Amino acid sequence: MEYLKATQRKTGFMPSTRELQHYFGFASQTAAMSHLRALERKGVIQRLPGKARAVVFPEELDREEIVDIPVYGQIAAGMAQDVESEREGCISIDIASIGIPRSARTFALKVRGDSMIDAHICSGDTVILEFREPRDGDVVAALIDGETTLKRFIMNKGKPFLRAENVEFPDLIPARELIIQGVLVALLRKAA
């Protein structure tokens, strides 16, 4: 059972019966199948009929669906800055905990700066954003006149602008363009 769990953690898949045969030095794949049947009788695994490598652990059947959200570098929560988006790994999280549908297109950015501290978004936090149209008052990652920043999206008399959540930072009014790159749906913070 430990080999099954370790292989699944490492590769994302259960080992095949041939891989079990080679790992344990069994004379045939039938011996590997016999061991899987024994684990199933003990209730520590469940096999799904008609599918290859379809072995699950009963304690994981009730777990929410886990998705990988790509992390695309940092975003300024201060003055807007040129930032190239380059993937820096991913965050694995169950979608029910952040309340987004499975079909949502999401990404994450690490926050740098303190222009959003009054909204409890601190430097070092990771924000999870969804590609969608913003509503008045949403916190957004935005491209304003060619530079990226994290601010609150405000509509005033039909004209959009970005507001910092720190009185020491000015509002940002677009001179040429304002492109919303994502709307904040969750915030992750490492414990101190």
Side-chain angles (χ1 to χ4, degrees):
M1 190 166 107
E2 290 305 316
Y3 175 69
L4 294 176
K5 285 184 177 183
T7 303
Q8 184 185 35
R9 273 193 305 271
K10 184 177 177 184
T11 66
F13 300 101
M14 284 293 173
S16 67
T17 52
R18 185 169 304 283
E19 290 167 333
L20 287 168
Q21 174 191 356
H22 291 300
Y23 182 80
F24 290 104
F26 297 141
S28 68
Q29 285 181 268
T30 306
M33 285 299 298
S34 296
H35 279 80
L36 288 174
R37 279 192 219 99
L39 289 171
E40 187 175 25
R41 280 192 305 273
K42 290 180 180 183
V44 295
I45 65 167
Q46 285 183 359
R47 293 185 310 139
L48 306 177
K51 294 186 177 182
R53 300 181 187 224
V55 175
V56 294
F57 301 106
E59 69 269 13
E60 293 179 0
L61 289 176
D62 295 332
R63 194 169 84 180
E64 296 294 336
E65 181 179 3
I66 304 294
V67 295
D68 290 334
I69 298 174
V71 178
Y72 288 118
Q74 297 185 348
I75 188 163
M79 299 311 289
Q81 295 179 346
D82 279 328
V83 176
E84 290 184 31
S85 66
E86 187 175 307
R87 189 166 171 167
E88 295 182 356
C90 65
I91 296 170
S92 297
I93 193 163
D94 70 281
I95 55 177
S97 71
I98 57 176
I100 59 169
R102 185 185 193 325
S103 60
R105 295 183 320 140
T106 56
F107 64 101
L109 296 167
K110 292 185 190 300
V111 177
R112 187 181 67 248
D114 59 358
S115 72
M116 296 299 289
I117 58 173
D118 291 338
H120 308 289
I121 301 171
C122 303
S123 194
D125 289 348
T126 300
V127 289
I128 297 175
L129 301 122
E130 179 181 356
F131 292 106
R132 67 172 168 85
E133 287 296 313
R135 293 186 294 261
D136 188 36
D138 282 344
V139 173
V140 298
L143 186 65
I144 182 166
D145 298 327
E147 298 180 332
T148 304
T149 190
L150 184 72
K151 298 286 183 281
R152 189 166 303 279
F153 178 81
I154 304 291
M155 287 295 288
N156 185 15
K157 298 178 185 169
K159 295 192 178 197
F161 70 96
L162 301 177
R163 174 170 290 151
E165 293 289 337
N166 180 338
V167 295
E168 296 180 19
F169 290 83
D171 290 342
L172 299 175
I173 300 166
R176 296 181 313 277
E177 68 177 350
L178 175 62
I179 299 169
I180 304 305
Q181 298 171 314
V183 176
L184 179 80
V185 292
L187 176 97
L188 301 174
R189 178 171 296 151
K190 289 185 179 177

